[in-house]
Amino acid sequence: MDLRRLAEKICGEIVLAENSGETMKKWRTIFSTSQSEVAKKLAISHSVISDYESNRRNPGVGFIRRFVNALLELDLEKGGKVVSKFADLFDLPPAVIDIVEYSKSVRIDDFCNAIEGKRLNEFEKLINGHTIIDSLNAILRFSSYDFYKLFGLTSERALVFTRVTTGRSPMVAVRVSTLKPSTVVLHGVSKVDEIALKLAEVERIPLIKTDLEISQIVENLRRSFL
């Protein structure tokens, strides 16, 4: 695992985030590390970490690097379970357009508004990330193992399937998978297949359709929820 690459990814996300404190807390939570553990590793008071995460202080780039390195070192000391999960995220299939973990849980309605979508059922779940997939590329190239890479660090995420004609194939894939997303988004579909709608009902998965440009979906979701 390229730790430098992982550290750069996390540092970059914190630096560019509108709410750096929430993003720091998100990554600390992902690494299952307490404020006290990080503070001890950095030889500072845990109240300093609390101040940064609650935005009472603004972290500089130097501190962010130290903070991220502390998370990585603490995880490696515990066996590297979280770090190992990221190995697959740096070897994603080309069908993955975008994959992101959110700084906090997002409600379905807020997510739907961000992508100018239309809800197709009334199920309610929280979303903690998204993966945007080129559906045609996925159908042609995906292995069963590749499908599981779509779930990133958590299955509590929205899977956004682009270039969809009816929505049946994505929902069949979700149906047979042991991992289930929080939400499925069908992009570019004019009329959703009845079987796709039924499968969403059976799995109790919120289903959304949208025609927003893919680049705009990526921009809106990253701006709203990172």
Side-chain angles (χ1 to χ4, degrees):
M1 177 66 200
D2 188 342
L3 290 180
R4 180 178 177 182
R5 189 177 175 190
L6 176 56
E8 288 175 350
K9 169 185 167 57
I10 300 172
C11 285
E13 185 173 320
I14 295 173
V15 169
L16 295 175
E18 289 189 9
N19 190 323
S20 59
E22 281 191 355
T23 307
M24 289 175 68
K25 183 178 180 179
K26 177 192 82 170
W27 282 106
R28 182 176 59 75
T29 302
I30 287 173
F31 278 88
S32 300
T33 303
S34 69
Q35 290 182 348
S36 296
E37 287 178 297
V38 177
K40 183 177 180 180
K41 173 65 71 173
L42 295 176
I44 59 177
S45 168
H46 80 274
S47 64
V48 175
I49 304 297
S50 177
D51 284 346
Y52 282 126
E53 291 186 357
S54 59
N55 293 309
R56 289 190 292 269
R57 295 190 186 189
N58 293 318
V61 174
F63 181 82
I64 290 172
R65 287 199 186 100
R66 292 178 59 215
F67 174 82
V68 171
N69 286 334
L71 295 180
L72 298 178
E73 290 172 13
L74 286 166
D75 184 63
L76 290 173
E77 290 170 6
K78 298 174 184 177
K81 291 183 179 180
V82 179
V83 167
S84 65
K85 289 182 180 179
F86 279 95
D88 283 345
L89 297 185
F90 286 116
D91 185 29
L92 291 169
V96 175
I97 297 170
D98 193 41
I99 183 167
V100 167
E101 314 300 325
Y102 296 159
S103 59
K104 59 183 178 181
S105 298
V106 175
R107 295 171 56 251
I108 294 290
D109 283 341
D110 294 333
F111 182 90
C112 191
N113 289 337
I115 62 172
E116 298 180 15
K118 177 183 178 181
R119 295 187 60 172
L120 302 178
N121 59 35
E122 298 301 319
F123 298 119
E124 297 289 344
K125 292 187 180 180
L126 293 175
I127 302 171
N128 288 300
H130 72 250
T131 306
I132 302 177
I133 308 113
D134 181 334
S135 298
L136 181 58
N137 197 325
I139 290 171
L140 294 175
R141 301 175 184 274
F142 261 27
S143 67
S144 58
Y145 180 60
D146 285 334
F147 185 79
Y148 287 99
K149 292 182 181 180
L150 300 180
F151 290 92
L153 296 180
T154 175
S155 61
E156 296 176 343
R157 67 195 311 105
L159 296 186
V160 182
F161 293 93
T162 68
R163 297 207 286 171
V164 173
T165 53
T166 67
R168 181 184 294 192
S169 294
M171 287 310 304
V172 169
V174 169
R175 171 65 170 166
V176 301
S177 171
T178 54
L179 290 177
K180 309 294 182 183
S182 288
T183 304
V184 170
V185 179
L186 304 176
H187 172 265
V189 60
S190 55
K191 183 178 180 181
V192 180
D193 182 83
E194 289 297 325
I195 292 178
L197 293 170
K198 182 62 178 177
L199 289 174
E201 291 285 333
V202 170
E203 296 292 341
R204 302 186 66 80
I205 292 176
L207 193 61
I208 299 171
K209 62 174 289 189
T210 181
D211 294 317
L212 193 64
E213 289 290 333
I214 296 170
S215 60
Q216 194 64 55
I217 291 175
V218 173
E219 180 181 337
N220 288 2
L221 291 177
R222 283 178 168 266
R223 183 179 64 246
S224 299
F225 306 130
L226 275 187

